[in-house]
């Protein structure tokens, strides 16, 4: 575990950003972090294979908001080289982890966003219960992305059904931006993501963490953000209007499912016995 005296107050939020054509979404995600009621939020924007000009535009966008005026910390922007043009989403998370310096951590993909209550809700739950990880709820929007705006076709309430660790052991119902972690309660070596998979990397991580450390699902039902489902398949959707992209995505999903299934077999008893903070 980390020495709580050696890490800063506040929360670091790893923001993955893959596509420089989608700056409008990154801007919205960062704006949602800027306006958190919980103060001392620091975004760590991790980009994939950007050239210097693109990285400069990303950094300018990240820094143009009045972070310090709002009581927040200035964003950090880190680029991960990608000469082979691979999907490095797990590697981006690990690079973000390498740049953490706050007690609490969370993750937000650049095409999603959080409501202003998100980290106040999650950190309060972590402090109240002494859990290592706390979860809340996220709703979904079905969207199309255009150059300067996002069109929301449908809003879905309670799309991710589950109530606790027993449900998570069956399937993941907790999106990557629905939880926060207290790093002072976890061995730093455990905060890592499997770079052999490019889907379900967050689920694989959650299974390992929840099998070893106490978790709280008490704030499920409190909606803290939006998960955007891209109808054109530009994200990692298995089912989308772009058939070719959807086919590639399904292959990656199947590969990740096999890896997660083997992990579940290893962790079955630990998941059954691990502590869940009671209401």
């Amino acid at each position: 575990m980390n020495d709580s005296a050696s890490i800063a107050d506040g929360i670091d939020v790893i923001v993955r950003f893959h596509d420089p054509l989608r700056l409008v979404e990154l801007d919205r995600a960062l704006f949602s972090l800027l306006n958190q009621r919980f103060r001392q939020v620091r975004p760590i924007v991790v980009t994939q294979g950007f050239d210097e000009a693109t990285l400069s535009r990303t950094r300018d966008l990240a820094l143009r908001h009045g972070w310090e005026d709002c009581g927040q910390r200035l964003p950090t922007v880190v680029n991960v080289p990608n000469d082979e043009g691979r999907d490095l989403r797990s590697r981006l998370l690990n690079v973000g982890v390498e740049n953490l310096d706050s007690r609490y951590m969370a993750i937000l993909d650049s095409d999603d966003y959080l409501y202003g209550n998100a980290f106040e809700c999650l950190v309060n739950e972590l402090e109240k219960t002494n859990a290592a990880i706390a979860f809340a709820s996220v709703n979904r929007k079905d969207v199309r992305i255009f150059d300067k705006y996002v069109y929301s076709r449908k809003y879905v309430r309670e799309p991710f059904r589950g109530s606790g660790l027993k449900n998570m052991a069956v399937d993941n119902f907790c999106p990557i931006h629905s939880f926060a972690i207290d790093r002072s309660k976890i061995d730093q070596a455990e905060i890592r993501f499997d770079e052999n998979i490019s889907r379900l990397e967050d689920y694989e991580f959650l299974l390992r963490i929840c099998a070893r450390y106490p978790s709280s699902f008490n704030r499920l039902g409190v909606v803290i953000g939006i998960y955007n489902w891209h109808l054109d398949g530009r994200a990692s959707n298995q089912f989308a209007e772009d058939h070719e992209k959807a086919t590639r995505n399904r292959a990656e999903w199947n590969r990740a499912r096999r890896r997660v299934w083997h992990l579940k077999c290893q962790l079955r008893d630990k998941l059954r016995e691990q502590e869940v903070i009671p209401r």
Side-chain angles (χ1 to χ4, degrees):
M1 296 186 185
N2 288 304
D3 178 0
S4 59
S6 68
I7 53 180
D9 290 333
I11 186 166
D12 292 329
V13 187
I14 302 170
V15 182
R16 293 187 292 192
F17 185 46
H18 304 83
D19 188 347
L21 298 178
R22 295 163 64 177
L23 283 169
V24 65
E25 293 176 281
L26 175 63
D27 192 33
R28 179 184 60 187
L30 292 175
F31 188 73
S32 76
L33 298 181
L34 176 74
N35 289 284
Q36 289 294 309
R37 291 202 293 264
F38 182 86
R39 297 307 179 189
Q40 291 301 306
V41 174
R42 179 176 69 121
I44 303 173
V45 181
V46 190
T47 63
Q48 176 174 299
F50 284 12
D51 59 29
E52 285 302 321
T54 304
L55 188 60
S56 179
R57 288 198 301 273
T58 303
R59 188 175 290 109
D60 289 345
L61 173 71
L63 295 175
R64 76 182 184 187
H65 298 295
W67 295 95
E68 293 173 314
D69 293 339
C70 293
Q72 311 293 23
R73 297 176 64 192
L74 289 175
T76 296
V77 180
V78 184
N79 185 57
V80 178
N82 188 24
D83 296 336
E84 297 179 359
R86 298 169 54 213
D87 187 333
L88 300 179
R89 66 187 65 207
S90 297
R91 175 61 182 153
L92 298 190
L93 291 174
N94 285 333
V95 170
V97 168
E98 292 168 5
N99 284 271
L100 297 174
D101 67 9
S102 296
R103 174 175 177 178
Y104 301 103
M105 67 162 285
I107 302 167
L108 177 64
D109 283 335
S110 60
D111 56 343
D112 299 321
Y113 58 90
L114 292 165
Y115 295 147
N117 66 324
F119 298 137
E120 182 180 71
C121 169
L122 292 171
V123 172
N124 283 348
E125 182 65 17
L126 289 169
E127 292 179 345
K128 175 183 176 182
T129 62
N130 210 33
I133 182 169
F135 298 85
S137 293
V138 168
N139 284 344
R140 191 186 91 203
K141 284 186 178 180
D142 297 346
V143 300
R144 291 181 184 274
I145 307 300
F146 297 90
D147 289 343
K148 296 184 178 179
Y149 65 92
V150 179
Y151 169 69
S152 297
R153 179 178 175 183
K154 185 179 181 181
Y155 181 81
V156 183
R157 297 181 185 275
E158 300 182 0
F160 307 104
R161 300 296 181 88
S163 60
L165 191 53
K166 289 182 179 180
N167 299 115
M168 179 175 286
V170 176
D171 199 5
N172 189 20
F173 64 95
C174 300
I176 201 167
H177 55 309
S178 69
F179 61 87
I181 288 173
D182 184 344
R183 295 174 58 229
S184 71
K185 303 289 195 302
I186 295 179
D187 185 338
Q188 181 64 24
E190 295 287 336
I191 305 177
R192 58 176 178 80
F193 293 82
D194 187 345
E195 296 186 17
N196 293 302
I197 54 177
S198 62
R199 305 293 186 274
L200 299 177
E201 70 282 355
D202 53 332
Y203 187 29
E204 192 272 348
F205 172 78
L206 290 178
L207 288 171
R208 286 189 288 104
I209 295 300
C210 291
R212 182 165 179 181
Y213 301 98
S215 54
S216 173
F217 295 86
N218 293 338
R219 303 317 297 263
L220 291 179
V222 179
V223 179
I224 63 169
I226 291 294
Y227 173 85
N228 285 300
W229 180 275
H230 293 269
L231 295 170
D232 63 1
R234 66 170 60 194
S236 59
N237 298 353
Q238 303 170 78
F239 307 103
E241 295 166 348
D242 184 333
H243 177 72
E244 182 179 351
K245 178 67 178 293
T247 299
R248 292 197 302 270
N249 282 340
R250 281 195 291 272
E252 291 295 328
W253 277 95
N254 289 335
R255 183 169 177 269
R257 285 192 183 101
R258 289 192 293 270
R259 196 169 186 89
V260 166
W261 181 82
H262 287 293
L263 178 65
K264 285 182 179 181
C265 291
Q266 298 171 22
L267 297 179
R268 184 179 293 116
D269 291 340
K270 290 182 179 179
L271 287 166
R272 188 181 297 117
E273 298 167 358
Q274 185 52 255
E275 178 184 3
V276 177
I277 304 297
R279 291 183 181 274

